[in-house]
Amino acid sequence: HATSAGMARTAAAIACLLVLFAAFPADAQQRDITKRWKTVRSEHFEVNYPEPLALVARRVLWVAERAHEKLEPLLGHEPRKRVQIVLNDDVDTANGTADVLPYNVVKLFVSAPDDLSVLSDFDDWLTVLVTHEHSHILHLDNIGGLPRIVNHIFGKIWAPNLLQPRWIIEGIATYYESELTASGRLRSTIFEMYMRMAVLEDNVVHFDTLNNDTDYWPRGDIWYLYGSRFIKWMVDRYGEEIIPEMAHWYGRRAIPFSLNRMSKRLTGKTFDTLYKEWIADMQVHYGDVAESVRSQGLVEGRRLTFTGETVRGLRFEDNEHLIYFARDGRSDDQIRRHHLADVNRLQRLVRAAGQSYPAVAQDGEIYLDSIDEYKVNLYNFYDLYRYEPTRVWKPERHTKGLRAP
């Protein structure tokens, strides 16, 4: 009896610890309680949507089934229950998320990306978005061994693949978004430019940096950029099966962080070694590209700004000044004035949120689009603002909830 009681206490203690590990903070974001929510179902998905997104929901349901039909054989995994998809049209942002704890859920923003976004290379936005997020589900939901037994007893609280580095998680999904559609970020000319210049300028991210959080350019996109290309390189070298093998092997590990052990088991080499070999291959490839361009003759302009990161929406204010949107990673997003006669003279005009594009009226006033709150923090939409040059950092809001990017 004493042994049984001790075992019972041990089991109870383990259960309490698992419950603590599974605890997640509640979502405190406000919601529009006037919305009417509905659900449409198919064999593998339930799409939950607010009116009037019925047509979008049915389109997403069809796209999701087509994506599953392609992805399931490649990743070798079938979820036990329908995947929940939640549509959100509360923000003018193109994005999506996927999670597998405590159940499989995909959350999609239905707004499409703007034409200068790294996401802008798409044939059909919903197809690329759903393919990417469902790749996450089939990858991360792959659970076996002891973790599967624990989940069977206590509920779904353990998904070992969630502990993989983000370059693996996002790299796999970005690889499939490109491999299974006619677009995706592996075909993005912007991503190609980022990678090419990092290699040619000998400014490639160190592997230790890639395995951790970093503000290295291009910031949050770095795991998608490096991860997708590294994964594709491994697929080209070891075959398509390398991806499901990583998901199966790691999804059964009770002891986390054994990444190089996984790599050594599947490829015969550690990730550190493979990463160096991949970089060496890119140096040869982009070196050939650079030599080809130089052989045709370079035509270069004169550099005007030196603040780095993002500069876009260039407009002539008059014959002597340019205005543009700037995001330099050190100050607020803003509209700036550039004096052509003095390249070192920059003037901050007005703050802006989102990828703003300024325009100059005949009277000299500046109009811009910027994301702002609508209906007491329920929505974040683009609206139009007017800026008078005499009013420092205080634009006048012209619309509310117009969604006018």
Side-chain angles (χ1 to χ4, degrees), residues 335-377:
I335 304 299
R336 289 179 180 170
R337 176 183 287 126
H338 184 86
H339 299 260
L340 294 176
D342 184 358
V343 296
N344 296 315
R345 186 180 176 191
L346 299 176
Q347 181 181 357
R348 298 179 300 174
L349 297 181
V350 60
R351 292 186 180 94
Q355 302 291 345
S356 183
Y357 295 87
V360 182
Q362 291 183 348
D363 59 5
E365 293 182 342
I366 297 173
Y367 290 82
L368 62 141
D369 54 331
S370 184
I371 291 180
D372 210 330
E373 296 172 351
Y374 174 61
K375 288 189 175 180
V376 195
N377 302 334

Side-chain angles (χ1 to χ4, degrees), residues 192 195-196 199-200 229 233 277-293:
E192 178 68 7
M195 195 78 259
R196 181 175 63 246
V199 173
L200 292 178
R229 281 156 173 75
W233 180 84
E277 292 179 1
W278 170 56
I279 298 301
D281 282 355
M282 284 201 298
Q283 288 170 339
V284 173
H285 169 66
Y286 288 124
D288 291 342
V289 172
E291 183 59 34
S292 176
V293 172

